[in-house]
């Protein structure tokens, strides 16, 4: 029987430009009843029975793309995409007064365009805090060292590499002078900086918990209802894999929350300028600048992280490569998880989704390498450019941002294109990249196999990986900070006066505040009596 005659006796095909596996499977069964030995139904070489070639799939199920209906696309966006955006919204953004949220947009583009450098910059900030405290305790004493370290950590937001030694030497003179008034001024400034630094740890923990709950509930619901759902839901495992590709956001957000941030760009400036005015022993010039996105205030971008260890510790080491490797492994682990899930989803093999995920990972690695080359150029030519009057930090910041922007836009665009059926066609379901055109095949009845994977295999991969990425954050913090706790770095308890009435720890802080308020009231009463 002629092929055209057989096709006329089959159920109606999908509309032109669409790919609907359910209709293709019904037409396949009807075709098999009419002409079971027709060459069109012969599986490709090495393919299992019940599968068809790409040409037969296009004839039976449609040659177009199977876009999701608006309701299903809205469900996927609200259950998988929005929780990820909420995580990004909980990253600490420097409070700059930039129009139209320009700084937030820049940070987001750098985060999605170059996650390796973003994570490495956060780890470099923690490593800088550890080195600063270690040197201050070594040269200024274990008791007074933490308060000088607090001053230097705040100055890190206003330019670090060029002026660190000058700032450190001036504070060391204050420590060696033993002037009680100057030391009291430093202690007060350090306490104010510690109190005013904001840590949104609770909010981030709630966001991470909500993200875990969303992933767990939506995955469970999809796995239980998969056999009774429409065939476009067969793509749920691929949608899940692309969400797993961004699991590196979990440790990134937790790192950002652990570092903290000042509530205003003028908070640290005001406290440090007040400290300069209160020092009487000798002039104190801390080179206080306005925090800028390219000067250290954005913790996800630190162009001087390669040589900060030499500036602080005076001893070159290879610890910066450890931080780079940890950042690389964090992003690579998320990519490996996403690649594995897409590879195991039928048709099993290297598919177009694997190619897209690998393209993401490759772009991130290339961008990270290019950023390191730019940082090397920054170190190599900073002095010459500075002599010519050029702001090299600002220049390199814009160069890196211009590189990150198209990568981030391309990634976000392809993520949205998935809901338009970009990866839902005979070609993308055939595994053609690993099998070749002649051996590639499509299984039009995927529900049972996908349901088995969603219920048995994928939970053993997904949930341990989800918990592992969350537990990776404290490991990264411990490695970067060398085991120093955040409370020890803040040192509220050690920066309190020894007066018994003030006490220690948080009681001491509130005791000083009450004493300061009472002193202000006494001054007001004295002024009132003088006027009377």
């Amino acid at each position: 029987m002629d092929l055209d005659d057989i096709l006329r006796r089959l159920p109606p095909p999908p509309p032109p430009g669409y790919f609907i596996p359910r209709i293709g499977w019904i037409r396949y069964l009807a075709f098999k009843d009419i002409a079971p030995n027709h060459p069109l139904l012969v599986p490709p070489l090495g393919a299992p029975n019940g599968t068809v070639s790409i040409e037969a799939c296009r004839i039976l199920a449609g040659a177009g793309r199977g876009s999701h209906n608006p309701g299903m696309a809205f469900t996927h966006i609200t259950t998988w995409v929005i929780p990820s955006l909420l995580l990004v919204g909980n990253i600490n953004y420097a409070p700059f007064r930039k129009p139209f949220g320009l700084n937030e947009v820049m940070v987001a583009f750098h985060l999605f365009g170059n996650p390796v450098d973003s994570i490495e910059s956060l780890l470099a900030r923690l490593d800088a805090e550890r080195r600063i405290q270690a040197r201050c305790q070594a040269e200024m004493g274990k008791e007074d060292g933490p308060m000088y370290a607090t001053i230097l950590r705040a100055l890190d937001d206003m330019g670090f590499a060029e002026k660190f030694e000058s700032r450190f030497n001036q504070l060391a003179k204050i420590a060696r002078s033993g002037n009680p008034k100057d030391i009291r001024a430093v202690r007060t400034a350090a306490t104010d900086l510690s109190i005013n630094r904001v840590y949104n740890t609770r909010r981030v923990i709630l966001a991470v918990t909500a993200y875990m709950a969303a992933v767990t509930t939506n995955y469970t619901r999809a796995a239980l209802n998969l056999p009774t759902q429409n065939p476009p839901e067969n793509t749920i495992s691929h949608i899940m894999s692309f969400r797993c590709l961004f699991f590196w956001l979990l440790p990134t957000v937790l790192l950002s929350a652990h570092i903290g941030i000042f509530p205003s760009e003028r908070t640290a400036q005001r406290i440090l300028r007040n400290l300069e005015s209160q020092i009487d022993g000798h002039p104190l010039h801390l080179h206080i600048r306005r925090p800028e996105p390219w000067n250290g205030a954005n913790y996800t971008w630190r162009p001087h992280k390669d040589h900060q260890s030499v500036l602080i510790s005076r001893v070159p080491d290879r610890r910066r490569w450890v931080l780079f490797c940890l950042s690389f492994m964090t992003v690579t682990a998320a990519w490996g998880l996403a690649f594995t899930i897409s590879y195991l989803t039928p048709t099993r093999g290297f598919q177009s989704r694997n190619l897209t995920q690998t393209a993401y990972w490759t772009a991130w690695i290339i961008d990270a390498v290019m950023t390191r080359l730019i940082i090397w150029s920054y170190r190599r030519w900073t002095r010459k450019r500075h002599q010519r009057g050029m702001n090299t930090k600002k220049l390199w910041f814009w160069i890196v941002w211009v590189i990150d922007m198209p990568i981030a836009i391309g990634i976000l665009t392809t993520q949205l294109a998935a809901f338009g059926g970009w990866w839902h066609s005979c070609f993308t379901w055939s595994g053609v990249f690993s099998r070749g055109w002649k051996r590639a095949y499509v299984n039009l009845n995927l529900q049972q196999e996908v349901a088995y994977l969603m219920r048995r295999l994928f939970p053993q991969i997904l949930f341990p990986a989800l918990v592992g990425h969350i537990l990776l954050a404290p490991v990264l913090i411990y490695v970067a900070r060398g085991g120093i706790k955040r409370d020890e770095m803040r040192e509220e308890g050690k920066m309190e006066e020894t007066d018994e009435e003030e006490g220690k720890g948080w009681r001491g802080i509130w005791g000083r505040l009450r004493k300061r308020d009472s002193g202000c009231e006494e001054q007001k009463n004295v002024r009132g009596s003088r006027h009377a």
Side-chain angles (χ1 to χ4, degrees):
M1 186 179 297
D2 190 14
L3 178 61
D4 294 335
D5 296 335
I6 298 175
L7 294 178
R8 281 194 293 267
R9 299 175 59 181
L10 298 180
Y18 281 87
F19 167 68
I20 304 178
R22 177 175 57 88
I23 296 179
W25 179 247
I26 295 174
R27 287 164 59 85
Y28 171 83
L29 295 178
F31 198 115
K32 192 174 182 180
D33 292 338
I34 298 174
N37 298 323
H38 195 279
L40 188 68
L41 301 182
V42 177
L45 181 64
N49 294 327
T51 59
V52 295
S53 62
I54 298 178
E55 294 84 354
C57 174
R58 290 175 174 176
I59 294 174
L60 298 175
R65 300 184 182 274
S67 60
H68 297 285
N69 59 65
M72 186 180 300
F74 178 79
T75 301
H76 290 328
I77 291 175
T78 54
T79 55
W80 295 97
V81 178
I82 291 182
S84 300
L85 297 179
L86 291 177
L87 286 178
V88 178
N90 281 279
I91 291 178
N92 283 327
Y93 297 94
F96 298 124
R97 298 179 180 179
K98 302 296 181 182
F100 309 108
L102 182 61
N103 180 65
E104 288 76 6
V105 173
M106 289 180 175
V107 172
F109 278 153
H110 184 60
L111 184 66
F112 284 103
N114 194 350
V116 176
D117 183 74
S118 299
I119 299 174
E120 185 189 4
S121 298
L122 293 172
L123 294 177
R125 166 71 187 197
L126 294 175
D127 181 67
E129 293 180 355
R130 180 188 65 83
R131 295 179 182 276
I132 290 173
Q133 176 143 332
R135 185 173 175 186
C136 289
Q137 288 182 339
E139 301 191 21
M140 302 174 187
K142 293 184 178 181
E143 294 184 0
D144 294 337
M147 67 182 183
Y148 295 99
T150 303
I151 302 296
L152 291 171
R153 287 198 300 270
L155 289 169
D156 181 70
D157 295 351
M158 307 170 192
F160 179 85
E162 299 86 356
K163 303 297 182 181
F164 173 79
E165 199 65 30
S166 174
R167 293 164 173 170
F168 180 85
N169 291 333
Q170 294 183 70
L171 294 175
K173 289 181 181 179
I174 297 176
R176 290 192 297 265
S177 66
N179 188 333
K181 184 179 179 180
D182 292 348
I183 295 176
R184 183 183 296 272
V186 174
R187 180 179 290 111
T188 302
T191 303
D192 293 338
L193 289 171
S194 299
I195 294 175
N196 283 278
R197 197 166 189 84
V198 178
Y199 299 94
N200 59 340
T201 306
R202 294 181 181 178
R203 187 179 66 187
V204 169
I205 291 176
L206 289 176
V208 171
T209 304
Y211 183 84
M212 293 181 62
V215 171
T216 304
T217 55
N218 292 307
Y219 180 88
T220 304
R221 182 181 60 184
L224 294 178
N225 299 333
L226 186 62
T228 61
Q229 291 173 346
N230 292 327
E233 279 287 2
N234 291 341
T235 62
I236 186 64
S237 58
H238 288 300
I239 294 174
M240 178 187 64
S241 69
F242 276 97
R243 301 292 78 77
C244 296
L245 188 64
F246 297 94
F247 271 5
W248 50 262
L249 281 173
L250 296 169
T252 304
V253 174
L254 292 172
L255 283 173
S256 177
H258 188 82
I259 295 173
I261 202 167
F262 289 109
S264 171
E265 62 178 322
R266 300 184 183 273
T267 301
Q269 283 183 292
R270 175 181 56 80
I271 297 173
L272 294 174
R273 292 190 186 280
N274 187 32
L275 173 63
E276 287 183 333
S277 64
Q278 292 179 357
I279 299 298
D280 295 334
H282 60 86
L284 179 64
H285 301 288
L286 296 176
H287 307 282
I288 301 173
R289 306 174 181 176
R290 179 182 177 183
E292 296 289 352
W294 48 81
N295 207 29
N298 273 336
Y299 300 147
T300 55
W301 164 248
R302 294 176 67 85
H304 45 265
K305 54 180 171 286
D306 273 356
H307 63 299
Q308 68 179 7
S309 60
V310 179
L311 292 171
I312 300 174
S313 304
R314 297 181 177 178
V315 178
D317 59 10
R318 298 181 179 180
R319 186 180 177 84
R320 61 182 183 271
W321 292 106
V322 175
L323 302 182
F324 175 80
C325 292
L326 289 175
S327 307
F328 173 80
M329 291 172 59
T330 302
V331 177
T332 303
W335 166 77
L337 173 64
F339 186 92
T340 301
I341 293 177
S342 290
Y343 186 89
L344 295 178
T345 300
T347 305
R348 182 173 297 188
F350 190 84
Q351 307 175 29
S352 58
R353 298 170 183 84
N354 296 109
L355 180 63
T356 305
Q357 294 162 356
T358 305
Y360 288 178
W361 179 79
T362 304
W364 288 336
I365 300 306
I366 293 176
D367 196 1
V369 173
M370 292 179 63
T371 301
R372 296 194 71 85
L373 293 176
I374 291 174
I375 292 173
W376 177 84
S377 301
Y378 164 79
R379 294 177 56 190
R380 181 71 175 81
W381 303 105
T382 292
R383 183 171 299 178
K384 294 182 179 180
R385 301 276 178 159
H386 184 70
Q387 292 175 355
R388 297 177 187 178
M390 297 183 64
N391 191 338
T392 53
K393 288 186 178 181
K394 186 176 181 179
L395 173 64
W396 295 130
F397 175 81
W398 282 105
I399 291 175
V400 172
W401 186 76
V402 169
I403 297 174
D404 294 340
M405 182 177 64
I407 297 176
I409 292 177
I411 289 175
L412 296 176
T413 302
T414 52
Q415 289 289 304
L416 295 177
F419 299 107
W422 186 265
W423 290 293
H424 195 48
S425 65
C426 291
F427 180 82
T428 57
W429 283 95
S430 62
V432 65
F433 293 103
S434 59
R435 300 178 181 276
W437 184 267
K438 294 183 178 181
R439 300 184 61 183
Y441 65 89
V442 180
N443 185 359
L444 298 175
N445 188 23
L446 298 174
Q447 286 180 329
Q448 298 299 325
E449 188 174 358
V450 173
Y452 172 79
L453 294 173
M454 291 283 290
R455 292 182 180 182
R456 298 294 180 88
L457 180 60
F458 289 162
Q460 302 177 16
I461 301 175
L462 174 64
F463 295 111
L466 178 62
V467 177
H469 276 82
I470 295 175
L471 297 179
L472 184 61
V475 175
L476 296 176
I477 293 172
Y478 181 85
V479 173
R481 271 192 168 166
I484 298 178
K485 298 180 181 179
R486 188 178 69 181
D487 292 337
E488 294 178 1
M489 297 294 291
R490 294 179 68 181
E491 293 296 338
E492 288 93 352
K494 294 183 180 180
M495 291 185 295
E496 300 306 318
E497 296 180 355
T498 58
D499 193 345
E500 295 180 357
E501 295 180 357
E502 291 185 347
K504 299 180 179 180
W506 286 103
R507 294 182 180 179
I509 295 174
W510 291 113
R512 179 180 292 113
L513 293 176
R514 288 195 298 269
K515 184 177 180 179
R516 189 181 303 171
D517 295 339
S518 62
C520 295
E521 293 295 334
E522 292 178 0
Q523 292 179 2
K524 291 181 180 179
N525 295 334
V526 171
R527 292 176 183 175
S529 62
R530 289 179 180 176
H531 287 296

